Amino acid sequence: MARGEKADVSRRDVVKMAGASGLAGLAGVTGSASAQEYPPIGNFPIQGEAATFGFTVPQSGPYSSEGQDELRAYKLAVEHLNNGGGWVDSWNGLSGNGVLDKEIDFVSGDTATDADQARQTARRMIQRDQAIMLSGGSSSAVAIAIQELCQREKVQYQCCLTHSNETTGKNCVRYSFREMFNAYMTAQALVPPVTKEFGKDQQFYQLYADYTWGKTVESSVQKFFTEAGWSQINSVATPLGTKDFSSYLSQVPRKKTDVLFLDHYGLDGANSLSQAISMGLDKDMEIIVPLYNRPMAQAAGGAIEGVFGTVAWDSQIDNQPSNDFTQAFQDKYARIPSGPAQLAYAQTLQYAAAVERAGTFYPPEVIKALEGYEYDNFGMGPELMRKCDHQAQRAVPVVKGLPASEQKQGQFFEIVNLTPRDTLGYACDEGPAARCDLGPYE
């Protein structure tokens, strides 16, 4: 893993005044910016003038297209933290002059969408590169493996794209936070528009990726759609990285199935959906892909027409934070950012702002600065980083694929509903959170 290149613009000489923008957190923890000494823990205290962030992204494997966009956003976030620009110019507490007077450096590594490789990559970043914070993930198995390592090593992990219920459920840890909504919330958000469109008393069939993410999507879809009056015919597991789904798709009973759920993501999702269309399944049933994004939609092309799903974020969301991020990303890379890119950028700044509020890089204080924190910075409306399970309470965009003739650069689906956070989720003693035990701060 080569150390990331420095930004090509000079660092600012003057720290900008904080609070100029109105994108400040609504409420939070007031950190102590004193000279209080903290004991060594993890990679604290930081040695030298720079703080190193470690970015673990899939640069190969079925989720590599998402990983490429994540890495672009991570690099942009580091550039803005060091030199200003983008959200840093309007985020209360961030100066554009590093973080707590330390320049931010970074290392990056390939997870290959594989938990074992991801764990090795993260361990090198922690032990060799002395990373004070890690962020990444497009596979929930990868995210869970890294966050468990980070809990043992006492290094904070900011989840990027991980959608399994278990990330902040039974596998939750104190040293990890998730902004992304989970499979439970996806199913909740899909039920109203989908049942309105397709009607009641539908029979559905599921193909799902055979690992923690796909399993929790399958169980969440079954729970909420059966509660809404639908009935499940069957659900069948498919291996992660499957290229030819024809043997699985051919088993779907065409005469009985009203709706087919394809619980796949990334290149797998593009392949399974495209193959379902080429086999003519869309002539006999409706198709839903519970979670997808721009790179996946682009790869699937016209196959996404009329297909419902949810996305992490999209540039069509028209408000100041979303527009500012889209513009900054376009200025840097001449391309529209994806939802995973927005998550990567946001989680880097979220951590940096928590450090500034805490007044220290000491991990337990940074964690406390995020727990129970309310904010309105990400373009999704008011959000809460819940203390009990470190799961963000946030809105969920429900989308529907556009016909090929209406698709254009960066726009492959229409947003049919931005489901507000107050209609989603579960209490701390319910759902996935009921199985969460965060563990110690130290």
Side-chain angles (χ1 to χ4, degrees), residues 417-436:
N417 192 31
L418 186 59
T419 313
R421 74 175 195 182
D422 293 343
T423 65
L424 302 169
Y426 41 89
C428 288
D429 60 353
E430 298 175 347
R435 305 174 70 190
C436 172

Side-chain angles (χ1 to χ4, degrees), residues 191-419:
V191 165
V194 166
T195 55
K196 181 179 179 180
E197 181 89 2
F198 301 148
K200 299 180 179 180
D201 303 321
Q202 301 292 295
Q203 295 193 98
F204 65 97
Y205 190 102
Q206 294 194 76
L207 297 180
Y208 65 93
D210 191 13
Y211 75 106
T212 180
W213 170 71
K215 292 175 182 178
T216 63
V217 174
E218 188 277 337
S219 62
S220 298
V221 165
Q222 182 176 4
K223 170 182 171 58
F224 287 105
F225 277 89
T226 54
E227 287 179 1
W230 289 19
S231 58
Q232 178 166 286
I233 299 171
N234 197 9
S235 63
V236 177
T238 64
L240 180 65
T242 297
K243 293 181 172 59
D244 184 357
F245 288 89
S246 59
S247 62
Y248 299 100
L249 292 166
S250 64
Q251 297 175 29
V252 179
R254 295 190 181 219
K255 292 183 178 180
K256 294 182 179 180
T257 304
D258 298 310
V259 180
L260 171 63
F261 286 85
L262 296 175
D263 307 339
H264 303 123
Y265 190 71
L267 183 59
D268 286 8
N271 284 338
S272 68
L273 177 58
S274 297
Q275 290 165 24
I277 300 301
S278 68
M279 292 173 66
L281 268 69
D282 59 318
K283 307 299 183 184
D284 299 317
M285 65 197 71
E286 305 293 345
I287 299 176
I288 296 174
V289 176
L291 181 71
Y292 62 95
N293 61 37
R294 185 184 56 77
M296 177 178 164
Q298 185 172 5
I304 68 169
E305 180 179 353
V307 174
F308 279 96
T310 62
V311 295
W313 168 90
D314 189 74
S315 60
Q316 295 176 69
I317 298 173
D318 186 14
N319 55 44
Q320 198 63 49
S322 288
N323 295 339
D324 287 347
F325 172 65
T326 298
Q327 188 63 55
F329 196 92
Q330 279 189 290
D331 290 346
K332 181 69 176 180
Y333 298 113
R335 58 187 292 135
I336 302 290
S338 64
Q342 190 261 10
L343 283 171
Y345 182 87
Q347 293 321 291
T348 309
L349 269 59
Q350 178 87 296
Y351 171 79
V355 170
E356 294 283 4
R357 291 196 304 276
T360 177
F361 281 95
Y362 182 60
E365 292 301 313
V366 179
I367 290 169
K368 291 172 185 176
L370 274 171
E371 291 179 330
Y373 185 65
E374 293 193 54
Y375 49 97
D376 193 359
N377 302 335
F378 294 176
M380 302 299 298
E383 301 190 34
L384 167 69
M385 183 56 71
R386 196 158 65 173
K387 182 177 181 180
C388 68
D389 58 356
H390 293 186
Q391 172 64 58
Q393 304 299 291
R394 51 159 289 181
V396 174
V398 177
V399 300
K400 189 176 181 182
L402 293 171
S405 60
E406 297 179 22
Q407 295 179 10
K408 55 185 179 181
Q409 183 182 13
Q411 187 171 339
F412 299 90
F413 37 73
E414 60 176 328
I415 297 176
V416 298
N417 192 31
L418 186 59
T419 313

Side-chain angles (χ1 to χ4, degrees), residues 107-124:
V107 291
S108 63
D110 184 14
T111 67
T113 320
D114 178 83
D116 289 335
Q117 179 164 329
R119 195 180 292 108
Q120 294 172 11
T121 296
R123 185 175 289 111
R124 287 196 299 270

